[in-house]
Amino acid sequence: MKQETYVAGCRATGKLHVGNYLGLVKDLVKTQEIENIERFYFIADQHAITTPFVPKELSDNAMSLTATYIALGIDPSKTVFFLQNQVLEHSWLAWVFNCITPLAELERMTQYKEKSSEHKENINAGLLTYPTLMAADILLYKPSKIPIGEDQIQHVELSRIVARKFNNKFGKTFPEPRPYALKPLRIMSLKHPEKKMSKTGDEPLYLDDEPKAIHEKIKKAVTATDGSGQSTGAENLLYLLSQFGTSEHVAQFATAKKDKSIKYSELKTILAEDISNYFAEFREKKKELLAHPETLAQILGDGAQKARKVASETLSEVKEKIGLL
Ligand code: AMP
């Protein structure tokens, strides 16, 4: 008998970078080792259409992300893994939530403020109501915990508010899920270490990058002067080494930092090599998966079917409670 349910989604925009990996995906893969947990992890392709998009890129990207997650270790036999748009109950429940969520709660969301100032030419209603779809994504599966990065905590809080409002109005239906504490982590941009590495930022280090691109990007990283370890850029590279480096290299640079003999050009070459090696198997596996799109489609189809089983039960309960025949 499963004791807990985890739900997590990742927006289907852009390619994943090392920040996404260390701040989210690595932990999602690790949750698969915990027993007695039912996991629903999905690619949020409907969320991806709130900002400007090209249809062909949207579908290619969903396939690429599916291959990425599986190549990184999401195992469809342990995790119900699916595309949000293939489980219609998500948008259905979102409509119900739209009708009980005060506008003011949506207008105060940081992501809405950021995205609407970033896309001034396209401030659509979807950008504003994104969190009610997200609340539906989450609450359909009545989860206990939501594994997320710190930037998404406000969205889980909104889901708790929506769950409480629904329960108060129509009777206890949804749990109030808690964020699953992922360690607060900010991988910084290589070229602008004062900013977070992001999909839209300057040259993120993508998981798909081939060794040549990894070397070129890391070579251009901003650090401190040799001998000193004190700069955000340098700390960022040392942190990446601690995650992707061999234990020998980690020890070597910890000593060099301590006795102030650190050479950043050497750190960059070694770090680039270690990151290239760390993701070598992933790159091969992903290419193999993408060569068989029909297998990926089958995995997504099976995942959606399993998700729908649970989602449709919740939706029937909701319809009954709110009096829809
Ligand atoms: P995004 O698709 O860019 O919204 O990111 C998805 C998730 O990846 C976020 O919710 C974070 O958990 C994680 N993430 C993204 N960028 C970083 C970063 N620079 N450092 C750490 N975690 C990150």
Side-chain angles (χ1 to χ4, degrees), residues 19-308:
N20 296 126
Y21 177 71
L22 294 174
L24 181 70
V25 187
K26 193 176 168 205
D27 289 297
L28 292 185
V29 173
K30 236 195 275 166
T31 62
Q32 296 182 132
E33 291 163 17
I34 314 173
E35 281 177 22
N36 292 333
I37 290 199
E38 185 147 47
R39 284 163 292 266
F40 294 89
Y41 295 163
F42 62 93
I43 294 170
D45 49 359
Q46 286 175 277
H47 285 291
I49 65 174
T50 52
T51 45
F53 67 99
V54 176
K56 171 83 171 86
E57 283 172 14
L58 187 68
S59 52
D60 285 352
N61 208 28
M63 268 318 208
S64 170
L65 274 178
T66 303
T68 299
Y69 276 92
I70 294 173
L72 288 174
I74 292 295
D75 177 352
S77 72
K78 294 184 182 158
T79 295
V80 179
F81 182 61
F82 61 101
L83 288 183
Q84 178 190 34
N85 98 79
Q86 295 187 350
V87 183
L88 301 184
E89 285 79 358
H90 287 239
S91 25
W92 216 107
L93 185 59
W95 177 251
V96 177
F97 288 167
N98 271 340
C99 299
I100 61 168
T101 306
L103 204 48
E105 292 285 359
L106 299 175
E107 282 166 344
R108 73 179 181 83
M109 300 299 282
T110 312
Q111 195 160 307
Y112 170 66
K113 289 184 195 157
E114 278 174 8
K115 289 246 156 50
S116 53
S117 75
E118 209 180 299
H119 301 281
K120 283 202 175 70
E121 75 300 344
N122 180 23
I123 306 180
N124 60 71
L127 264 188
L128 181 69
T129 58
Y130 184 115
T132 49
L133 178 55
M134 196 152 159
D137 296 336
I138 293 172
L139 295 174
L140 265 178
Y141 303 96
K142 302 192 175 181
S144 40
K145 292 198 183 128
I146 318 292
I148 41 155
E150 56 177 342
D151 56 336
Q152 292 297 327
I153 286 182
Q154 204 185 22
H155 284 123
V156 177
E157 277 164 8
L158 189 95
S159 305
R160 291 163 65 84
I161 293 172
V162 171
R164 209 173 308 144
K165 277 197 178 300
F166 189 96
N167 292 344
N168 288 342
K169 244 180 148 123
F170 304 108
K172 177 99 180 102
T173 309
F174 296 109
E176 289 183 28
R178 281 167 296 128
Y180 171 73
L182 298 183
K183 57 188 178 309
L185 179 69
R186 282 162 70 85
I187 302 298
M188 309 314 280
S189 153
L190 298 176
K191 271 175 134 179
H192 298 281
E194 69 288 356
K195 293 189 199 156
K196 217 171 114 167
M197 185 180 288
S198 80
K199 287 171 182 163
T200 49
D202 215 357
E203 295 201 351
L205 201 54
Y206 293 120
L207 307 186
D208 292 339
D209 281 344
E210 294 292 339
K212 186 164 177 274
I214 298 176
H215 277 271
E216 280 168 6
K217 286 182 182 175
I218 293 184
K219 203 167 166 195
K220 285 190 252 167
V222 172
T223 54
T225 44
D226 283 355
S228 135
Q230 301 305 314
S231 85
T232 317
E235 292 302 324
N236 196 38
L237 293 191
L238 286 167
Y239 181 78
L240 291 176
L241 187 73
S242 76
Q243 298 299 303
F244 300 122
T246 62
S247 47
E248 219 173 63
H249 291 152
V250 175
Q252 177 190 337
F253 282 94
T255 309
K257 185 185 167 193
K258 213 162 152 200
D259 62 24
K260 299 195 181 339
S261 63
I262 196 161
K263 288 201 173 57
Y264 288 111
S265 56
E266 194 186 353
L267 169 64
K268 286 177 178 181
T269 308
I270 286 180
L271 176 63
E273 241 168 66
D274 282 350
I275 293 183
S276 302
N277 291 337
Y278 188 95
F279 289 108
E281 207 182 311
F282 157 77
R283 288 191 301 271
E284 285 316 304
K285 210 164 168 196
K286 180 171 172 181
K287 280 178 206 154
E288 264 171 49
L289 288 163
L290 283 174
H292 299 284
E294 65 294 344
T295 311
L296 291 176
Q298 179 73 43
I299 291 173
L300 291 172
D302 291 348
Q305 202 177 356
K306 287 185 204 156
R308 232 177 278 131

